[in-house]
Amino acid sequence: MPTFNQSEFKKARDSFKTILKEFENYKNIYFKDVELSDYNENYCFSEYIVYTDSLFIEICNLKENLEVIINKVNISTCNKKDEYIQMYDVVQSIIYTILDSFRYVCELFKQSGLSDTDYEWLLETEIYRHI
């Protein structure tokens, strides 16, 4: 089994903390409630697309790193492995939440009519390929 040095584990933990903060910011900026079902219309759709897509890519990268740590790296203590499994579960939950909210917001904007530019931006995003 491959091994990681301590800095790579620390990088994953730091990235996890950063993702949690960014996800909270995402919720606070673009939504009026914690359920992510009430989009804040004070922000333009193109800005939302770019922000959400970059957050989604960042989270997916962390998910891949955590998968490597959990499945392919020899972690000496069970508690450490459990810590990374818990992080993975939280990340997976955030991904599903972002996908659901993105799908919901896209439907709202599609119903009201998207500009050609917004539609092109939407089609080019990584997150749109997953919904």
Side-chain angles (χ1 to χ4, degrees), residues 9-30:
F9 286 108
K10 182 179 180 337
K11 184 178 173 184
R13 285 190 305 275
D14 291 346
S15 181
F16 178 74
K17 290 174 189 173
T18 300
I19 291 295
L20 291 179
K21 288 178 191 173
E22 288 182 21
F23 183 61
E24 283 303 312
N25 288 339
Y26 167 80
K27 291 189 305 187
N28 292 332
I29 291 170
Y30 291 107

Side-chain angles (χ1 to χ4, degrees), residues 46-77:
S46 58
E47 179 183 310
Y48 171 77
I49 293 169
V50 171
Y51 189 93
T52 306
D53 193 49
S54 65
L55 179 60
F56 180 76
I57 291 168
E58 210 174 319
I59 293 170
C60 288
N61 289 338
L62 175 59
K63 178 185 165 195
E64 289 175 16
N65 289 344
L66 290 171
E67 285 173 346
V68 168
I69 289 172
I70 292 167
N71 297 319
K72 297 180 182 167
V73 174
N74 185 13
I75 299 177
S76 59
T77 64

Side-chain angles (χ1 to χ4, degrees), residues 1-112:
M1 266 187 174
T3 58
F4 273 21
N5 63 38
Q6 289 303 316
S7 66
E8 291 169 303
F9 286 108
K10 182 179 180 337
K11 184 178 173 184
R13 285 190 305 275
D14 291 346
S15 181
F16 178 74
K17 290 174 189 173
T18 300
I19 291 295
L20 291 179
K21 288 178 191 173
E22 288 182 21
F23 183 61
E24 283 303 312
N25 288 339
Y26 167 80
K27 291 189 305 187
N28 292 332
I29 291 170
Y30 291 107
F31 295 90
K32 296 176 186 172
D33 63 33
V34 294
E35 298 301 317
L36 300 183
S37 60
D38 196 5
Y39 179 75
N40 186 347
E41 300 87 9
N42 294 326
Y43 294 92
C44 66
F45 187 56
S46 58
E47 179 183 310
Y48 171 77
I49 293 169
V50 171
Y51 189 93
T52 306
D53 193 49
S54 65
L55 179 60
F56 180 76
I57 291 168
E58 210 174 319
I59 293 170
C60 288
N61 289 338
L62 175 59
K63 178 185 165 195
E64 289 175 16
N65 289 344
L66 290 171
E67 285 173 346
V68 168
I69 289 172
I70 292 167
N71 297 319
K72 297 180 182 167
V73 174
N74 185 13
I75 299 177
S76 59
T77 64
C78 190
N79 289 343
K80 274 289 189 204
K81 191 163 190 160
D82 288 345
E83 176 187 352
Y84 290 100
I85 290 171
Q86 289 172 354
M87 281 189 246
Y88 178 86
D89 291 343
V90 170
V91 166
Q92 189 67 26
S93 174
I94 290 172
I95 287 172
Y96 288 137
T97 302
I98 287 177
L99 285 171
D100 287 344
S101 66
F102 190 78
R103 185 179 298 114
Y104 172 78
V105 171
C106 287
E107 285 304 314
L108 287 177
F109 277 92
K110 283 179 182 178
Q111 290 172 5
S112 65

